[in-house]
């Protein structure tokens, strides 16, 4: 049997060579990509580090960028070492010396030296502008501190009694303060961050949250007082026979819960204490009011009840809840229960 192996040898021989060339090409492509990526980082950093900041925000960004660049330095070194390793690997698998890439041909080393000089320049820009922008930051912090003090004074300047509280004026005022505080919040947080980035401690504006919570507290209190004053008007001026006792009860209990919520905020306030005390005086009488309201009481029943309570000849058709309380009628729960059950 005769086999001509010339053609077979021609087909088989290039396989290792082709494989090596493919590996070589892949390594070379990776080398070029890595070099380009690292070079892009160097060019971008160089551009940013050479910028002269013209505003406080630009200076803070500059300081922040420099800090990140220094943190990035060790990763850049690792990437350069990786490229060097790729070049050594490329030389190992190269088929001929014509395709060798000498170590000194790695441009990233020269780029890294330039990168180091750019870092030093950027740090110098930071130091030369430090005093100027620390003063700008100090001025802004002082401005915000004065505003906070002003708002805190407005919030704490409240009347000491419900009678002296002009809620129609106080509520819009505190709502305006709250809106201004909301708009001030991002500026406060920004200035606090600027101090951290610039590594200075000029003023502590962390008290902002307490001032804002004070505004929230007073807004809730004034809104509750509006509802409370409406209840007081019902108690003192509306004939008991015209009061919707279910709505009255719901509102009383809602105000009690709101007052408890305000008390739990831990802020001392005379108006809140006064309102809560008055609510607590009427709440124990709600069952009696409901019994009187839902029964079919006629004049004779009312007359009998008032006589048994030691208040003869005091009942009249337009009697108010306030009078029922002051005359002590609502304290006689058993008598009310007895008379309403037969009405």
């Amino acid at each position: 049997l005769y086999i001509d192996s010339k053609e077979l040898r021609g087909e088989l021989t290039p396989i290792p060579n082709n494989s090596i060339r493919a590996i070589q090409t892949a390594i070379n492509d990776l080398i070029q990509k890595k070099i380009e990526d690292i070079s892009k980082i160097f060019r971008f950093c160089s551009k940013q580090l050479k910028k002269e900041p013209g505003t406080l925000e630009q200076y803070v960004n500059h300081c922040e960028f420099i800090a990140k660049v220094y943190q990035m330095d060790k990763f850049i070194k690792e990437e350069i070492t990786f490229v060097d390793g790729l070049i050594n690997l490329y030389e190992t698998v190269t088929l001929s010396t014509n395709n060798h890439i000498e170590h000194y041909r790695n441009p990233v080393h020269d780029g890294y030296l330039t990168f180091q000089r750019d870092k030093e320049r950027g740090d110098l820009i930071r130091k030369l502008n430090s005093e100027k922008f620390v003063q700008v930051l100090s001025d802004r912090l002082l401005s915000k501190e004065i505003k906070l003090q002003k708002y805190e004074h407005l919030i704490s300047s409240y009347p000491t009694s419900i009678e002296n509280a002009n809620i129609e004026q106080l509520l819009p005022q505190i709502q305006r303060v709250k809106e201004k505080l909301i708009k001030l919040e991002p500026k406060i947080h920004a200035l606090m961050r600027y101090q951290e980035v610039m590594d200075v401690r000029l003023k502590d504006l962390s008290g902002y949250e307490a001032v804002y919570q004070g505004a929230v507290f007073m807004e809730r209190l004034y809104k509750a007082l509006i509802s409370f004053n409406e209840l007081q008007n019902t108690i003192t001026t509306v004939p008991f026979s015209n009061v919707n006792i279910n709505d009255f009860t719901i509102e009383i209990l809602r105000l009690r819960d709101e007052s408890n919520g305000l008390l739990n905020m831990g802020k001392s306030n005379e108006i809140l204490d006064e309102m809560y005390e008055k609510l607590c005086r009427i709440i124990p009488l709600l069952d009696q009011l409901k019994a009187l309201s839902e029964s079919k009481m006629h004049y004779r029943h009312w007359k009998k009840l008032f006589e048994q309570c030691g208040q003869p000849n005091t009942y009249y058709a337009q009697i108010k809840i306030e009078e029922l309380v002051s005359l002590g009628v609502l304290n006689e729960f058993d008598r009310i229960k007895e008379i309403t059950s037969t009405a």
Side-chain angles (χ1 to χ4, degrees):
L1 179 65
Y2 174 77
I3 298 175
D4 185 359
S5 61
K6 291 181 180 180
E7 293 183 5
L8 182 60
R9 190 183 299 112
E11 292 292 331
L12 295 176
T13 300
I15 292 177
N17 293 335
N18 289 339
S19 298
I20 292 174
R21 289 192 187 96
I23 293 171
Q24 185 183 28
T25 300
I27 295 173
N28 185 57
D29 290 344
L30 181 57
I31 290 171
Q32 298 307 316
K33 184 179 185 306
K34 282 289 183 180
I35 290 174
E36 180 58 27
D37 289 344
I38 297 172
S39 298
K40 283 181 180 179
I41 292 174
F42 289 161
R43 289 193 297 270
F44 177 79
C45 290
S46 177
K47 183 179 179 181
Q48 296 298 317
L49 291 168
K50 292 176 182 176
K51 285 183 178 180
E52 285 284 347
T55 66
L56 176 60
E57 287 73 20
Q58 291 175 353
Y59 179 75
V60 171
N61 290 337
H62 184 83
C63 294
E64 204 166 27
F65 186 77
I66 288 176
K68 290 179 179 178
V69 166
Y70 274 93
Q71 291 173 359
M72 183 178 63
D73 191 80
K74 66 176 183 178
F75 300 107
I76 293 291
K77 289 180 179 178
E78 290 175 1
E79 287 294 299
I80 293 174
T81 300
F82 181 68
V83 172
D84 288 338
L86 287 175
I87 292 174
N88 290 333
L89 180 60
Y90 178 79
E91 293 173 347
T92 300
V93 299
T94 298
L95 292 175
S96 67
T97 55
N98 293 332
N99 293 324
H100 282 176
I101 295 181
E102 300 297 338
H103 184 73
Y104 67 84
R105 291 180 58 190
N106 181 359
V108 177
H109 287 282
D110 292 336
Y112 182 72
L113 294 175
T114 302
F115 173 66
Q116 293 300 313
R117 289 192 292 270
D118 290 337
K119 277 200 311 181
E120 293 172 1
R121 178 174 177 177
D123 204 32
L124 180 62
I125 290 173
R126 178 187 64 81
K127 292 176 181 177
L128 291 175
N129 286 276
S130 175
E131 183 178 352
K132 168 186 170 182
F133 286 110
V134 165
Q135 184 59 52
V136 173
L137 176 59
S138 178
D139 292 342
R140 288 198 194 178
L141 285 165
L142 178 61
S143 172
K144 299 302 179 289
E145 183 181 49
I146 292 172
K147 283 188 176 182
L148 279 179
Q149 291 172 348
K150 174 186 173 183
Y151 297 149
E152 186 177 20
H153 176 72
L154 288 172
I155 291 167
S156 60
S157 300
Y158 54 83
T160 56
S161 68
I162 295 176
E163 182 182 0
N164 296 327
N166 184 354
I167 303 302
E168 289 72 18
Q169 177 183 347
L170 290 171
L171 179 58
Q173 181 186 73
I174 203 68
Q175 287 175 329
R176 288 193 296 270
V177 170
K178 181 184 171 186
E179 289 174 3
K180 290 178 180 178
L181 283 167
I182 290 173
K183 292 179 180 178
L184 188 62
E185 181 180 16
K187 297 176 183 178
I188 293 287
H189 289 326
L191 291 175
M192 296 294 283
R193 188 179 72 85
Y194 292 173
Q195 291 187 94
E196 183 178 347
V197 172
M198 294 167 62
D199 195 24
V200 292
R201 299 293 180 268
L202 303 174
K203 288 187 180 297
D204 182 9
L205 299 182
S206 59
Y208 164 85
E209 186 61 27
V211 177
Y212 176 73
Q213 289 302 322
V216 171
F217 173 86
M218 295 307 298
E219 181 186 31
R220 286 178 60 182
L221 176 58
Y222 290 152
K223 285 181 177 180
L225 279 175
I226 290 176
S227 299
F228 178 77
N229 286 339
E230 291 173 354
L231 281 176
Q232 281 290 90
N233 182 67
T234 299
I235 291 171
T236 57
T237 66
V238 179
F240 176 65
S241 58
N242 294 339
V243 175
N244 184 320
I245 201 64
N246 288 328
D247 292 345
F248 180 82
T249 300
I250 290 171
E251 188 62 7
I252 284 278
L253 296 178
R254 185 191 71 80
L255 276 177
R256 179 200 60 188
D257 294 342
E258 178 66 3
S259 298
N260 282 326
L262 290 168
L263 288 167
N264 289 335
M265 292 180 72
K267 297 183 181 296
S268 176
N269 186 282
E270 293 89 341
I271 298 178
L272 175 59
D273 294 339
E274 181 184 353
M275 179 176 69
Y276 189 72
E277 181 184 351
K278 290 181 176 180
L279 287 170
C280 288
R281 284 206 298 262
I282 195 69
I283 288 173
L285 307 176
L286 290 176
D287 288 340
Q288 294 91 304
L289 288 169
K290 185 175 182 180
L292 290 170
S293 176
E294 293 179 349
S295 65
K296 296 179 180 180
M297 295 274 285
H298 295 293
Y299 178 79
R300 66 179 185 276
H301 300 110
W302 283 105
K303 183 179 179 182
K304 180 180 178 181
L305 174 62
F306 272 66
E307 288 175 350
Q308 291 183 4
C309 293
Q311 300 292 340
N313 303 318
T314 53
Y315 173 75
Y316 67 105
Q318 301 299 309
I319 197 165
K320 318 298 186 300
I321 294 177
E322 180 184 46
E323 294 168 302
L324 292 174
V325 173
S326 63
L327 291 172
V329 175
L330 296 177
N331 295 328
E332 304 292 338
F333 181 74
D334 292 336
R335 297 182 189 277
I336 291 172
K337 185 178 180 181
E338 178 185 349
I339 293 175
T340 55
S341 64
T342 60

